Amino acid sequence: MFPAAFFTATALFIFSSTAARRPPPNGILYDLSPFIRVYANGTVQRFIGQEFAPPGVDAATGVQSRDVKYSSTLNLTARIYLPGNAAANNKLPLLIYYHGGGFFTESAFSPTYHRFLNSLSSAAGAIAVSVNYRLAPEHPLPIAYEDSWLALKWAISGAGNDSWLKKHADFQRVYLGGDSAGGNLAHNMATRIGGSGLKIEGMFLNCPYFISRSTPELQLLRDVWIHAYPKDRRGLNDPLVNPAMDPGGLKRVGLKHIALYMGEKDPLKESEWDYKKGLERSGWKGKVEAVEFKGEGHVFNLLQPGAPDAAAMLKMIAAFINNEQ
Ligand SMILES: *[C@@H]1O[C@H](CO)[C@@H](O)[C@H](O)[C@H]1NC(C)=O
Ligand SMILES: *[C@@H]1O[C@H](CO)[C@@H](O)[C@H](O)[C@H]1NC(C)=O
Ligand SMILES: *[C@@H]1O[C@H](CO)[C@@H](O)[C@H](O)[C@H]1NC(C)=O
């Protein structure tokens, strides 16, 4: 996700773009406000997503959660969610979720994502694994892709040997999901599935971070990629960020159903439509359904979880995961 100040910050950036070529002020290496500021002395300042919401039983939904390691070697953790009413031998769809935050901020444990996963697990009657992956700049891309893949294999292969997954996950009904940078991660996991032997039914992408345009409104988000993945030789032509650059990769997306949710006022919207067109032109043998929410901005459902459109989207995702739409 991006912070509520996203549009203000974008506007300020455009306003000051002629000044942007000046050397950065004292000690600042680069400034991606409102995400992050990095100083030449190595200090990293994060502006959002630093809070930790403990796992437990959610009072509003009865959903239970706990934190589990998906890699002991790397000390990597995910949060698992189980609906409160899951009967002992009840098999549920399994959702593997990747949070957003521009690859630099947020976590699976922040109040924003904890609340969203509780709501979604309850609404969809699904067991969910919310993946915490390592962030740039301390861990530049492609590390987040590798962590995401480890978590996916851990959750599906059963090698993780988690008691909730063992009892309740229906491995014939596995879904991926993600928002913003997490939507990007989910898509790039889907391109790896083909040939891996893993079986995934579908994926939903909420305002995924793809960039295929060079409009001024996207300047900050282009800079996010450059700094999150400083060694990327292809830069913004990399299919990781601009999937339509590689139709072969799109064709390999290893699942059959995609739900794409967009906000009308999100500067990423055109690139997300480009993604849908790219998929359809690639020869990929699946179906992508797109919904553009009128008047809404980037990840509006996370920023205003109580709003009517957020509730509408939650219902759509729940139906999608239960193959009811
Ligand atoms: C790094 O620089 C910033 C800005 O000048 C300063 O606030 C911070 O204390 C410095 N950190 C260290 C470890 O020197
Ligand atoms: C593992 O990560 C947790 C935070 O997620 C941290 O508190 C702990 O110290 C880490 N353990 C090791 C051995 O690095
Ligand atoms: C799974 O857990 C059981 C019981 O806790 C244990 O005996 C078994 O070795 C574990 N398997 C793996 C692959 O970790």
Side-chain angles (χ1 to χ4, degrees):
M1 67 170 289
F2 299 141
F6 175 60
F7 290 105
T8 318
T10 306
L12 286 176
F13 192 93
I14 296 159
F15 180 71
S16 65
S17 63
T18 48
R21 274 178 237 109
R22 273 195 252 130
N26 249 354
I28 297 177
L29 195 59
Y30 59 87
D31 191 333
L32 300 173
S33 300
F35 292 107
I36 188 173
R37 183 182 291 150
V38 179
Y39 292 90
N41 65 13
T43 299
V44 173
Q45 212 179 352
R46 288 191 164 82
F47 300 115
I48 54 162
Q50 296 286 83
E51 284 171 88
F52 181 88
V57 178
D58 182 50
T61 59
V63 170
Q64 306 174 64
S65 56
R66 58 186 174 77
D67 294 343
V68 297
K69 277 195 187 165
Y70 62 89
S71 168
S72 305
T73 328
L74 295 167
N75 193 24
L76 299 174
T77 310
R79 182 164 292 182
I80 307 198
Y81 293 83
L82 183 66
N85 58 2
N89 52 1
N90 212 195
K91 293 286 185 187
L92 308 173
L94 168 61
L95 170 68
I96 298 160
Y97 192 81
Y98 300 101
H99 72 80
F103 304 110
F104 283 103
T105 65
E106 281 291 349
S107 82
F109 316 123
S110 77
T112 302
Y113 287 101
H114 188 55
R115 176 170 47 200
F116 175 66
L117 269 297
N118 273 318
S119 308
L120 182 53
S121 175
S122 170
I127 184 166
V129 174
S130 180
V131 179
N132 205 50
Y133 52 86
R134 286 174 289 173
L135 300 175
E138 297 89 341
H139 304 283
L141 294 177
I143 287 175
Y145 293 108
E146 299 316 321
D147 291 355
S148 298
W149 185 242
L150 274 181
L152 178 60
K153 285 193 298 187
W154 174 85
I156 297 182
S157 67
N161 207 7
D162 179 81
S163 60
W164 285 1
L165 289 173
K166 258 186 169 166
K167 272 190 213 143
H168 294 292
D170 179 350
F171 293 102
Q172 300 307 307
R173 290 186 290 161
V174 181
Y175 287 81
L176 304 181
D179 69 280
S180 198
N184 178 297
L185 292 168
H187 161 74
N188 284 299
M189 294 307 103
T191 64
R192 290 193 190 191
I193 291 163
S196 70
L198 300 179
K199 183 179 183 303
I200 315 261
E201 194 61 27
M203 122 178 120
F204 77 87
L205 304 176
N206 174 17
C207 304
Y209 174 87
F210 298 130
I211 299 183
S212 51
R213 305 282 178 120
S214 54
T215 52
E217 293 77 20
L218 290 171
Q219 185 60 50
L220 171 67
L221 296 175
R222 285 196 294 271
D223 290 347
V224 161
W225 182 261
I226 300 302
H227 290 295
Y229 197 167
K231 289 196 174 152
D232 192 5
R233 292 219 191 117
R234 290 171 291 187
L236 288 146
N237 292 326
D238 193 330
L240 288 170
V241 64
N242 184 356
M245 294 297 287
D246 178 20
L250 285 169
K251 193 176 175 183
R252 279 196 305 277
V253 162
L255 41 81
K256 290 283 165 57
H257 305 282
I258 298 178
L260 177 59
Y261 306 108
M262 294 169 282
E264 184 196 11
K265 293 183 173 163
D266 185 348
L268 290 169
K269 177 187 80 176
E270 283 83 9
S271 296
E272 291 161 356
W273 281 111
D274 288 345
Y275 169 72
K276 178 175 188 286
K277 281 180 213 139
L279 270 172
E280 288 165 347
R281 285 175 190 157
S282 71
W284 171 67
K285 292 188 176 55
K287 190 175 159 217
V288 53
E289 292 169 41
V291 182
E292 184 181 315
F293 285 86
K294 236 189 153 74
E296 300 289 7
H298 190 68
V299 298
F300 63 90
N301 69 310
L302 298 173
L303 299 174
Q304 291 169 312
D309 276 352
M313 189 200 280
L314 192 69
K315 271 193 171 175
M316 287 178 193
I317 301 172
F320 179 72
I321 290 174
N322 286 283
N323 199 21
E324 283 165 0
Q325 77 286 17

